[in-house]
């Protein structure tokens, strides 16, 4: 079975600082990898996804993530944090060729300090 | 834009009551999902439906059932609510057939069972 581990349940950065949210995955077959964001009192929305086309994936709101097979990682970054980035972020993995087995990490809550 | 709506944002029920959570999507998606979200555990799949009247158990189906009589509507049923079912419930929908497709989420229903 596949799984993801998000390192750090809470991350705090200053406005303008680099955002780095860590995600490591485990999968026995080539994975698809996703980052979702959840703003307060809302559902999840997709930030970006890795579909095996390119290892560096750019998403919405200036976020990007790099797939590193050798490190089984898919960390999310943003060069300069904005107050509006404060939210909970979820990494998720699904196996290619399988329709119904997306697994989510426990989530990382990002706080942005002025 | 895809829209996924859930019948209630907040719900308070008594132990033993039968509870219905409704989810409707407007994009003709084949796949629909019910998750529960708990702090520190991320999202866990309760049930998945890949077509009308078709369903599969997820990771935590105990105490829940589902119904999908129409393509746009997917209902989650708690036959006899218990306090350990107090949680946030999220519905999602997706184009069918491939795990790479994005899941679109509703805003969630926060259920409190007293």
């Amino acid at each position: 079975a596949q799984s993801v581990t998000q390192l750090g349940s809470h991350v705090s950065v200053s406005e303008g600082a680099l955002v780095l949210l860590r995600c490591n995955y485990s999968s026995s077959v080539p994975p698809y990898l996703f980052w979702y964001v959840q703003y307060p009192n809302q559902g999840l929305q997709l930030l970006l996804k890795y579909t095996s086309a390119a290892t560096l994936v750019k998403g919405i709101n200036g976020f990007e993530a790099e797939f590193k097979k050798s490190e089984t990682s898919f960390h999310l970054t943003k060069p300069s944090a904005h107050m509006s980035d404060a939210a909970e972020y979820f990494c998720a993995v699904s196996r290619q060729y399988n329709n119904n087995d997306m697994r989510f990490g426990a989530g990382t809550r990002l706080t942005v300090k002025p | 834009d895809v829209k996924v709506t859930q019948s209630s944002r907040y719900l308070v029920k008594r132990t033993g009551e039968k509870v219905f959570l409704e989810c409707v999507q407007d994009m003709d998606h084949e796949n629909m999902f019910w998750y529960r979200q708990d702090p520190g555990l991320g999202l866990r799949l309760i049930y998945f439906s890949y077509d009308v009247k078709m369903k599969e158990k997820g990771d935590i189906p105990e105490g829940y059932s589902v119904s999908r009589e129409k393509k746009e509507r997917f209902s989650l049923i708690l036959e006899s609510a218990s306090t350990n079912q107090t949680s946030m419930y999220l519905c999602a929908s997706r184009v069918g057939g491939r795990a790479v497709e994005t899941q679109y989420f509703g805003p969630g229903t926060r259920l409190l069972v007293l």
Side-chain angles (χ1 to χ4, degrees):
Chain A
Q2 71 287 16
S3 64
V4 291
T5 301
Q6 292 183 240
L7 299 175
S9 57
H10 290 88
V11 170
S12 181
V13 301
S14 297
E15 192 173 20
L18 171 72
V19 176
L20 170 60
L21 304 183
R22 300 177 187 273
C23 173
N24 287 89
Y25 71 91
S26 170
S27 178
S28 57
V29 299
Y32 295 128
L33 292 157
F34 305 77
W35 275 101
Y36 282 86
V37 61
Q38 185 180 34
Y39 298 105
N41 298 315
Q42 295 186 27
L44 279 67
Q45 67 179 86
L46 183 71
L47 271 179
L48 49 81
K49 61 183 175 183
Y50 166 74
T51 63
S52 71
T55 56
L56 182 62
V57 182
K58 295 188 184 298
I60 62 172
N61 301 336
F63 284 93
E64 64 181 39
E66 187 172 8
F67 173 71
K68 292 186 176 181
K69 185 178 179 181
S70 60
E71 299 177 9
T72 62
S73 68
F74 190 58
H75 302 331
L76 182 70
T77 60
K78 182 174 180 177
S80 177
H82 192 273
M83 297 296 290
S84 61
D85 295 327
E88 190 151 23
Y89 293 79
F90 293 92
C91 182
V93 62
S94 63
R95 290 178 291 179
Q96 297 186 26
Y97 320 123
N98 189 304
N99 199 30
N100 167 34
D101 67 349
M102 181 177 283
R103 294 295 181 271
F104 287 83
T108 297
R109 184 167 297 281
L110 176 66
T111 302
V112 182
K113 298 175 291 186
Chain B
D1 277 354
V2 176
K3 189 152 187 181
V4 180
T5 57
Q6 296 183 230
S7 51
S8 305
R9 295 299 302 270
Y10 301 94
L11 215 49
V12 180
K13 296 292 181 181
R14 298 279 180 193
T15 302
E17 279 193 77
K18 190 168 186 175
V19 182
F20 293 86
L21 303 182
E22 304 284 336
C23 175
V24 177
Q25 51 96 3
D26 67 357
M27 282 303 292
D28 203 36
H29 285 170
E30 292 82 5
N31 298 168
M32 296 188 74
F33 306 80
W34 274 108
Y35 295 91
R36 65 176 281 175
Q37 180 182 6
D38 299 289
L41 297 177
L43 278 72
R44 292 177 292 166
L45 181 65
I46 304 171
Y47 267 98
F48 160 62
S49 170
Y50 51 93
D51 205 343
V52 175
K53 297 189 187 295
M54 309 304 285
K55 63 186 180 186
E56 284 185 11
K57 292 181 180 179
D59 293 328
I60 51 165
E62 298 77 19
Y64 303 95
S65 62
V66 290
S67 171
R68 192 160 179 209
E69 297 297 318
K70 293 185 177 181
K71 192 174 186 180
E72 68 270 19
R73 188 180 299 270
F74 191 34
S75 302
L76 180 69
I77 303 154
L78 286 66
E79 295 289 344
S80 177
S82 64
T83 54
N84 63 12
Q85 294 178 309
T86 291
S87 186
M88 168 74 95
Y89 290 87
L90 292 168
C91 174
S93 73
R94 183 185 71 185
V95 169
R98 299 201 308 150
V100 71
E101 300 292 343
T102 300
Q103 290 191 24
Y104 295 89
F105 285 82
T109 296
R110 192 169 294 278
L111 173 66
L112 173 62
V113 182
L114 300 173

